[in-house]
Amino acid sequence: MKTGYLVLQDGQVFEGYRFGAGGDTVGELVFTTGMCGYIETLTDPSYAGQIVLQTYPLMGNYGIIREDFEGACCVKGYVVREWCEAPSNFRCDCDLDTYLKEQGVPGLWGVDTRQLTRIIREHGVMNAAICDEVPADLTPVKTYAVTGVVEAVTCGAAAELPAEGEAKFRVSLIDYGAKRNIARELQRRGCAVTVVPATASAEEILAAKPDGVMLSNGPGDPAENTYQIDQIKKLLGKVPVFGICLGHQLTALALGGTTYKLKYGHRGVNQPVRDLAGTRTYITSQNHGYAVDSDSVKVGRVRFANANDGTCEGIDYPELNAFTVQFHPEACTGPKDTSFLFDRFVEMMKGGDR
């Protein structure tokens, strides 16, 4: 076993053992609390630029299943307490170590992930490095920033995905780092999906005459994406719109709202969300480090709020035929409590629920 180190930007050092790809890496260290779903975590483009720390102590026990991938592996590094060298699963294609090597992702195991999680919760998200030797100069770690990631993870060209069964609607899915299950949920509901890159213009999207536009999840600071925000301004009110995660944040920014960085974000599969229009509380999957400031919402109305910290989890824009949510109703693996929101979007395209 080869010794490695996780070095935090404040100089704290955690010794462990290397697995996955060799070499050093620097990224924003974030933790996620899911007990399962590590495959979906590793293949969620929303983690671009980040070193992912798993709070659950054992990862990799059901191996890597390529059929379950949500997208490209964009993580900068992977930190676990323990990884399973002999996964048991008839669907398994390879083990966790092999996959990380394939993707060029450095990993570290054998560290105290509980202590690291406490540090992040108290201090807030911070940068870190996975390395073979503790660096004398921490400047590259301290100055690292997650920037330009939407352009880095979006698709290179448009792609057509057929509906399951009869095609009833045509949806343009803007890929800011889209998880594949967003398209799958739409396809299951009779939608032919055109996935378009984040660089597509509103004019190009509207020229295809879609019945609805889906704004996907994605990585990074939402306020950085000024071009995408301008395109959403041109789309709103012209066609039904449903936004998830980054799409939710970009829509709020397009309508004059503001966003801010959370201390340590919401990442996991058990985040409680209250429906402010009713009495229900839903358990949701989430992966975000920024939130919409509820007090900044002047257009539309806040529909969902996080039951733990009260942060904005969704906004309805009935006058614009649009709605957005911060959580992931398409989550795999994750709770299915809010998958009905895709049905709501279909009804909106039919001319029903606004």
Side-chain angles (χ1 to χ4, degrees):
M1 292 186 293
K2 183 177 180 180
T3 299
Y5 301 92
L6 181 72
V7 182
L8 307 185
Q9 70 180 56
D10 64 2
Q12 295 184 76
V13 177
F14 291 80
E15 182 177 319
Y17 303 101
R18 297 296 302 263
F19 78 126
D24 297 350
T25 188
V26 176
E28 183 181 64
L29 181 65
V30 300
F31 68 82
T32 182
T33 60
M35 295 174 66
C36 58
Y38 59 85
I39 295 172
E40 291 78 8
T41 293
L42 286 168
T43 59
D44 181 351
S46 293
Y47 283 109
Q50 297 174 326
I51 295 173
V52 175
L53 166 71
Q54 298 271 183
T55 62
Y56 191 71
L58 176 62
M59 289 290 121
N61 56 313
Y62 51 88
I64 295 295
I65 306 163
R66 299 182 193 279
E67 186 180 348
D68 292 347
F69 286 2
E70 285 289 350
C73 181
C74 299
V75 301
K76 294 278 284 183
Y78 197 54
V79 180
V80 299
R81 175 66 181 175
E82 183 181 354
W83 70 279
C84 178
E85 299 183 44
S88 177
N89 185 343
F90 73 97
R91 300 177 66 220
C92 175
D93 297 305
C94 65
D95 63 33
L96 183 56
D97 178 58
T98 299
Y99 178 69
L100 293 177
K101 283 184 169 70
E102 284 179 4
Q103 298 300 312
V105 176
L108 192 70
W109 70 275
V111 297
D112 190 341
T113 52
R114 291 189 302 173
Q115 184 182 358
L116 279 164
T117 301
R118 290 192 189 103
I119 290 171
I120 296 173
R121 282 181 62 92
E122 292 171 8
H123 175 279
V125 167
M126 64 173 78
N127 296 337
I130 295 174
C131 46
D132 292 331
E133 301 290 340
V134 178
D137 181 10
L138 292 180
T139 301
V141 181
K142 293 177 180 178
T143 58
Y144 177 81
V146 179
T147 60
V149 279
V150 167
E151 288 78 4
V153 302
T154 190
C155 58
E160 301 289 341
L161 304 175
E164 291 186 10
E166 179 187 356
K168 301 172 184 176
F169 303 99
R170 289 175 294 108
V171 175
S172 291
L173 169 58
I174 305 180
D175 176 16
Y176 304 124
K179 292 163 68 177
R180 290 177 184 166
N181 212 47
I182 294 175
R184 294 187 191 114
E185 290 289 347
L186 293 168
Q187 290 173 281
R188 291 185 188 112
R189 289 165 171 81
C191 298
V193 180
T194 302
V195 183
V196 300
T199 53
S201 69
E203 290 78 11
E204 291 170 338
I205 293 169
L206 292 173
K209 298 183 178 179
D211 297 302
V213 172
M214 188 88 213
L215 310 177
S216 84
N217 62 291
D221 182 351
E224 181 184 76
N225 302 287
T226 55
Y227 174 81
Q228 286 74 25
I229 292 167
D230 286 341
Q231 303 318 301
I232 293 172
K233 288 179 184 177
K234 299 174 187 176
L235 292 170
L236 290 167
K238 304 285 180 56
V239 63
V241 172
F242 177 18
I244 290 174
C245 197
L246 182 62
H248 158 76
Q249 298 162 356
L250 296 178
T251 303
L253 290 168
L255 293 169
T258 58
T259 55
Y260 62 97
K261 190 168 187 175
L262 295 166
K263 185 176 181 180
Y264 48 81
H266 299 154
R267 297 177 180 89
V269 296
N270 62 345
Q271 288 285 332
V273 168
R274 292 186 298 115
D275 184 349
L276 302 180
T279 59
R280 295 287 301 273
T281 295
Y282 302 99
I283 301 303
T284 69
S285 177
Q286 301 194 15
N287 172 19
H288 61 100
Y290 291 81
V292 174
D293 182 352
S294 296
D295 293 335
S296 73
V297 177
K298 307 304 179 187
V299 179
R301 60 176 180 267
V302 176
R303 172 68 182 270
F304 296 100
N306 191 289
N308 287 331
D309 60 16
T311 52
C312 178
E313 292 281 2
I315 304 173
D316 285 353
Y317 304 99
E319 68 283 0
L320 295 173
N321 210 11
F323 68 99
T324 65
V325 292
Q326 181 64 76
F327 49 89
H328 289 267
E330 84 293 346
C332 267
T333 240
K336 298 294 186 181
D337 294 32
T338 58
S339 60
F340 68 86
L341 291 170
F342 286 95
D343 298 320
R344 181 184 175 190
F345 183 47
V346 169
E347 287 301 313
M348 185 176 284
M349 289 189 288
K350 288 179 181 177
D353 180 20
R354 298 296 176 93

